Amino acid sequence: MVGYAVRRLLQSVPTVVVMSIVLFAIMQAIPGGPMAALAFNSHQSEAAKLAIIHRWGLDLPVYEQYFKWVGAMFTGDWQNSFFLNQPVNKVIFARLPATVLLMTVAYALQELLAIPAGILAALKRYSFFDQFVTFFAYVGNSMPTFWLGLMLLMIFGVFLAILPISGVIDIRVAGAPFLTPQYNDWFGQHPLQGTLDVAKHIILPATTIAIVGIAFDSRFVRASMLDAIHQDYVRTARAKGLSERSVVLKHTLRNALLPLITNIALELPILFSGAVVTERIFSWPGMGQLFFQALEGYDYPLMMGILFLTGLLVIFFNIVADIAYAIADPRISYA
Amino acid sequence: MHLGTRVRAIALTSVALLVAAACGGSGGGTTTTVLSNYKPVPGVQGGQLVYSDWESVSDLNLVSSTAQTTLQVAEGPIWAALWTFDPQSNPIPDLVSEVPTVANGDVKPIDSTHMDVTIKLKSGLKWSDGQPLTTKDLSFTINAYCDPLTGAASQTGYSSIASITDTSDTVEVWHFGPELTKSATDASGQAVYRCGMSAPLASGIYAPFIAGMGFNPVPEHVLTSIKHADWATSDYFTKQPTATSGPYMVQNFTPGPAAQVVMIPNPNYAAGRSGAPYYNHAPYLDKLIYKIYGDKPSQIAGLKSGDTDLGLDLIANDVPALTGITGYKTIAATGLADEFLTMNLGNHNGAPTIFSGDKSLRQAVALAIDKNTMNTSLVGGVGKPMNGPFVSALAPYTDTTIPPFQQDVVKAGTLLDADGWVKAADGTRSKNGKKLAWVISTTSGNSQRAAEEEQLIKNWAAIGATVTTKNWPAGQFFNGFVNGGILATGQYDMGMYTNTWASDPDGWCSTVESGQIPTTANAAGQNWGRATDPTLDTLCAQGANTVDVTARVAIYKQVQTEAKDYQVYIELYERPDVFSAADTFGNFAATVNLCVAVCNASDWFNTKGKS
Amino acid sequence: MLERAIENQIQFEHPTEAPGADYDLAVKQFSLREIIYRRFMQHPLAKWGVLGLAIIMVACYGAPLWHTLFPNFIQLPTDFDLAQAGKGPSLAHPFGSDSLNGHDIFSLVLYGGQLSLIIGIGSMILAVVLGVTVGAAAGYFGGFPDALMMRVTDVLLTLPALLIVPLATRIFAADNPFYIALIFGFLSWQSIARIVRSQFLSLREMQFTEAARALGVPPSRIIFRHLLPNAVGPIVVAFTLGIAGNIVLEAFISFLGFGIQPPQYSWGSILSGAEEFLIVGNWWWITFPGLMVTATVLCVNFIGDGLRDAFDPKIVN
């Protein structure tokens, strides 16, 4: 098992190398080069520009620049964000919690609705409910996420005006920005109030992300449920005279949901993409919003940092998914 | 106060336009003492205010930031200035006991290239940490501005200070002059920058220049241990400024697109201020919060829900959304920014553009535009259609005798007929086989600008011109000459964008002087239209070399007359800044000048829940 | 990555699997093509998808004709009426007007569909060409070319298109539909390459391939005559679903101001100024173009699903 994991990790090394080359090439392709954003700031003095050029080795041949850049990326020196004036890795990691929170809540919401819906649809195949789930899956899968978010924002935030449409907390309630020491102190004293505040803000963005996921997962659960129901051991259980409830809960469900669990890692990129879009729509202070801000501000170091990290995470979770499959499915040999 | 002008994502300005800044108000900065008519009402103690923007705040770098969003919290609430400005651009003494003028003897012209300016601080001023605020802090700050490693937003003015004499803790004299004292070395051999590093002032020294130098000092006792090059990344400017001089101090700051600055009263603000005519009391509020929403709709929603008491950085398009909000008033103010067209008189794609050498065509193109409709339909009627090169905030230089603009398609047609542009049966015109057609360029991804282009194209179709669009991302459009910027390198026929002008007309002149055409040798040149008008060159040089304000006004009126005839730029409208303020917000002063609308933060109060 | 997950997950299942539904296919005289056609038509939604998409395409590409026939009802994208700016749906303007210059949104949606559809379809045609070339070369030759090409594929699957596309359009200053389609195409071929490669890997060792090789048939002929036809099914399905994905992506990118921009209209660029006016209560500007995207994508997904079933080798008759 460990051997398989190590081998899988080693296999991903070339992917990481190619990814770094692709990102470096993108940076070179920017009109004006990676210094474009600096040129944009006409207040940057010549001396300061030269210092930056030298620090990043932009006066070196391209291949040397590449090695220098890659070396810096792997030693944690991700340059300073042009518009935030802070180390890129620091900026990104400060934004990560908000994105993780949004993705977690969205995923929980999605499974909470998708699993029962999928099971019920499978048990009552071809019923009205089943048809409805199918219809919902099709439509949910066809709506552009950004548009869905705007529709929810318009209905619940503008016309009904019952839910907040931006940010993660109400600063009037908390008195300090999200996750600052003051906020954490305040939250420690008012856990209920604080949780309610965040909950109110997270409903719309999380629902936006979850709807797409529900469309995927309800069909997935339904299919694997149907698959499980037709297995021999279920028939045996039924033949033994076990109650239908017991058959469903004990025998079918466990086997039907196993693939779903191993699928989490594969769903992460979809969740992440969803988060990127909804963060932009709902001003959620996470990585997705940060990326578009960086793009609009020509902050290439920040953009490259976000892309690099995203790539690493996706590769990592791919490995996790493969290992999870290997564990879950004994037919895959990992000797 | 920065001399630096303000940069925004939408109203992007080339900051280098600021060649010389002076106060632009009615009598501001002139040799006579003009008392401000700023009359704050006494406030109510306690409570909190939340004011907001929607564009990100990256740091609190008072010295080198050019971001309006940063200055909106740095200049006023956090750091006090030597003097601020009222909405009419008259200076209001803040840290100083009097604003230096020739009349009060604090500005002493010596000869054509030398001048002494005496700065008199109020006595007993303190930083928020209790340390005294003295002239040492002023010299320290000026010295930092002059070191390029500090990356100060602008060195204009400071770079002409040859030396400084600290007479006492409250009095110091700035000696302006051409002496080069730059870059001495200290004992360790490290370069020490001094001011006076610029070339001798070719243009002499003029007094209006001084008004713009009411900067916000930074504390020597905190920053002296930090190298100038490290200021931009220091905790003091990026996290927590520990000693500040404004009415409020930072309790907590989160940077970024959802930035928030939570401020509490500065306990030492009132020290040394009692008895002064302005800013003479401790701050009123218990808490002042500056909140960034990340995008405009969220900010407007925040106003609607009462989440924020003041919305900054709004534009005309937002007016319909704002007017319906109960308990808030919408305030529009035009100032130094205008939206205009630049016709490229140089070469594009290796050949002269259709506009070069054809003044009649340029005038006809201007006459055909329906500026009033553009203002009412796309600027909510709160912009100000222009008919001359100077924005109205450039008073007293702006020529108020120029009549309001009137679209005149017939006259445009006559001009074109006389110029040899023959109208064909299908209504299009051509001259010597060349069709009357050009490409208009602006920043892409901006729906308002796209709508403006669409209206313009329709206007020009009426005079037989076929106009198409080619828009560019702002970064490429405004990029520098060296990096192939579209405007700077002249890869366009006609460009449309906004400038926020320096408050002295000399800044405008830098966009028409033939010496300012960008070239490899002069990459920072601002004459993107490639104008070459000897009359304008002469007049602009005269204006820059004249000290007397009345004489300058006369010269710049001639500049405007000539520029209107030469017509390299077509000014469309003065771009309004829109504010939405709660009715309970006390002493809000909408300002569009060197002083952003937050300069009087120490007078702000909130009557919400009080009677 | 996204594509892979979708492949794993969207297995829409429907009553055709019900016992007896394929009754008439039991007669073995049908050609493969006919079987595929019949299976496709038996999908309960696919034919409606074809009908819906046909209506949308006729409506959009016929727009110049509609304009000639009903000049007051269907306006040119360059036509606008400032007096109508910000007006809600009415008989004359069923989708209302935008809040800037007052274009008729219904007309814009028809004209905008032309670019949205051509970008969706064009980019996937490029993706198929690239994907088949890369996948076939990798799968046929194996070894180092295979390893290299698959690493590149992995990387492109790793970086979310949502982040790369706006960056790419920014780099190339591309507001031109041709370049947008090109960028989309270059970022959409990975899953097709994988499908083709895996098909080739399994077919390469089969006897008919070896026989052809032994007879001295050149690789290109083996690929095009013998291997490729076997991979057509999955390619067609990926092509269809890719169109849906790229139409949505275009809408998002242009909505943000990174893709197609007015005065050129796509379903996304119609929306580019709409977000600001949502708060003023202009709901129609954003709602109707979005509904159009949803309807189109729904139809394409129906078709994709029908094709998946039609080509599915597991359903053997």
Side-chain angles (χ1 to χ4, degrees), chain B residues 546-568:
Chain B
T546 307
V547 181
D548 179 63
V549 173
T550 320
R552 292 190 92 217
V553 168
I555 293 166
Y556 285 113
K557 292 222 161 120
Q558 290 182 58
V559 166
Q560 289 166 81
T561 311
E562 173 61 19
K564 237 183 100 49
D565 179 64
Y566 186 70
Q567 200 97 60
V568 58

Side-chain angles (χ1 to χ4, degrees), chain B residues 301-321:
Chain B
L303 287 161
K304 283 192 166 162
S305 65
D307 192 36
T308 177
D309 302 289
L310 169 65
L312 301 168
D313 200 1
L314 298 163
I315 58 166
N317 265 343
D318 307 323
V319 172

Side-chain angles (χ1 to χ4, degrees), chain A residues 311-324:
Chain A
L312 285 184
L313 287 178
V314 171
I315 291 170
F316 175 75
F317 282 107
N318 268 342
I319 298 172
V320 171
D322 285 353
I323 294 173

Side-chain angles (χ1 to χ4, degrees), chain B residues 511-586:
Chain B
T511 64
V512 291
E513 285 169 320
S514 52
Q516 287 283 343
I517 293 176
T519 57
T520 319
N522 181 20
Q526 293 299 318
N527 183 351
W528 289 344
R530 275 111 185 124
T532 47
D533 182 10
T535 319
L536 280 177
D537 283 350
T538 315
L539 287 169
C540 280
Q542 265 178 32
N545 283 306
T546 307
V547 181
D548 179 63
V549 173
T550 320
R552 292 190 92 217
V553 168
I555 293 166
Y556 285 113
K557 292 222 161 120
Q558 290 182 58
V559 166
Q560 289 166 81
T561 311
E562 173 61 19
K564 237 183 100 49
D565 179 64
Y566 186 70
Q567 200 97 60
V568 58
Y569 301 113
I570 303 172
E571 295 75 20
L572 296 171
Y573 57 86
E574 286 185 19
R575 188 184 267 281
D577 274 13
V578 174
F579 308 89
S580 176
D583 295 336
T584 57
F585 197 119

Side-chain angles (χ1 to χ4, degrees), chain A residues 172, chain B residues 49-54 293 296 299-316 318-333 577-586 588-591 597 604:
Chain A
R172 288 195 174 222
Chain B
L49 270 176
V50 180
Y51 72 108
S52 60
D53 200 300
W54 55 275
Y293 279 90
K296 188 89 69 65
Q299 188 192 12
I300 293 175
L303 287 161
K304 283 192 166 162
S305 65
D307 192 36
T308 177
D309 302 289
L310 169 65
L312 301 168
D313 200 1
L314 298 163
I315 58 166
D318 307 323
V319 172
L322 297 170
T323 39
I325 308 178
T326 44
Y328 284 77
K329 47 184 169 296
T330 308
I331 306 151
D577 274 13
V578 174
F579 308 89
S580 176
D583 295 336
T584 57
F585 197 119
F588 172 67
T591 319
W604 285 359

Side-chain angles (χ1 to χ4, degrees), chain A residues 39 42-43 45 83 95 182 283 298, chain B residues 15 58 66 148 153 252 257 295 475:
Chain A
S42 46
H43 281 315
S45 63
F83 86 121
R95 290 308 196 84
Q182 280 92 336
S283 310
Y298 294 82
Chain B
V15 266
S58 46
T66 54
N252 191 291
D295 61 80

Side-chain angles (χ1 to χ4, degrees), chain C:
Chain C
M1 191 61 240
L2 189 67
E3 286 86 337
R4 188 164 118 200
I6 292 170
E7 280 157 33
N8 286 339
Q9 295 193 23
I10 307 196
Q11 296 286 346
F12 287 104
E13 176 243 10
H14 51 78
T16 33
E17 285 173 39
D22 292 337
Y23 176 73
D24 53 346
L25 292 181
V27 186
K28 298 212 171 159
Q29 305 311 79
F30 292 114
S31 74
L32 184 64
R33 202 168 289 180
E34 277 168 320
I35 292 172
I36 289 170
Y37 173 74
R38 279 180 163 260
R39 279 186 187 160
F40 182 80
M41 291 311 282
Q42 264 169 357
H43 188 283
L45 296 166
K47 49 184 174 289
W48 297 111
V50 172
L51 182 67
L53 192 64
I55 292 173
I56 290 168
M57 289 183 90
V58 168
C60 292
Y61 288 101
L65 180 65
W66 316 141
H67 169 66
T68 326
L69 295 176
F70 316 102
N72 292 321
F73 186 63
I74 302 297
Q75 300 167 357
L76 290 171
T78 47
D79 288 343
F80 57 91
D81 179 2
L82 291 173
Q84 286 296 324
K87 296 256 169 78
S90 64
L91 272 180
H93 303 283
F95 288 2
S97 307
D98 75 67
S99 291
L100 287 166
N101 278 350
H103 293 89
D104 175 52
I105 292 177
F106 184 68
S107 309
L108 286 190
V109 164
L110 294 191
Y111 277 97
Q114 300 180 350
L115 276 189
S116 288
L117 289 166
I118 200 72
I119 287 173
I121 296 166
S123 63
M124 284 316 292
I125 291 175
L126 175 65
V128 166
V129 172
L130 283 171
V132 167
T133 313
V134 171
Y140 187 84
F141 296 108
F144 179 73
D146 180 32
L148 180 71
M149 286 183 227
M150 284 305 109
R151 287 296 82 74
V152 173
T153 312
D154 283 347
V155 168
L156 288 175
L157 285 172
T158 298
L159 299 168
L162 212 54
L163 302 185
I164 292 290
V165 169
L167 184 57
T169 60
R170 186 39 75 79
I171 289 172
F172 299 111
D175 53 359
N176 174 329
F178 179 72
Y179 287 115
I180 304 267
L182 222 57
I183 290 169
F184 279 29
F186 269 102
L187 292 168
S188 313
W189 54 268
Q190 309 90 330
S191 53
I192 295 174
R194 283 204 169 172
I195 291 165
V196 174
R197 174 178 172 268
S198 62
Q199 289 276 334
F200 274 37
L201 282 181
S202 57
L203 296 174
R204 193 165 69 141
E205 308 307 327
M206 296 231 170
Q207 283 180 342
F208 73 93
T209 319
E210 277 178 22
R213 217 180 274 145
L215 287 170
V217 180
S220 61
R221 198 176 157 80
I222 297 179
I223 288 175
F224 283 105
R225 289 299 296 273
H226 301 286
L227 298 183
L228 211 50
N230 285 294
V232 161
I235 293 172
V236 169
V237 174
F239 171 73
T240 317
L241 294 179
I243 291 175
N246 282 356
I247 288 176
V248 170
L249 190 58
E250 188 281 327
F252 181 60
I253 299 300
S254 300
F255 160 74
L256 289 182
F258 294 111
I260 305 289
Q261 291 302 307
Q264 280 182 313
Y265 289 98
S266 68
W267 287 330
S269 80
I270 297 171
L271 297 177
S272 63
E275 196 184 12
E276 263 186 68
F277 290 92
L278 191 62
I279 205 99
V280 200
N282 186 335
W283 56 269
W284 52 90
W285 188 357
I286 213 146
T287 304
F288 292 112
L291 275 178
M292 197 66 175
V293 175
T294 307
T296 309
V297 170
L298 199 56
C299 290
V300 175
N301 279 341
F302 286 164
I303 298 170
D305 240 35
L307 288 170
R308 192 205 306 279
D309 287 353
F311 283 111
D312 193 345
K314 277 184 285 186
I315 307 173
V316 183
N317 299 288

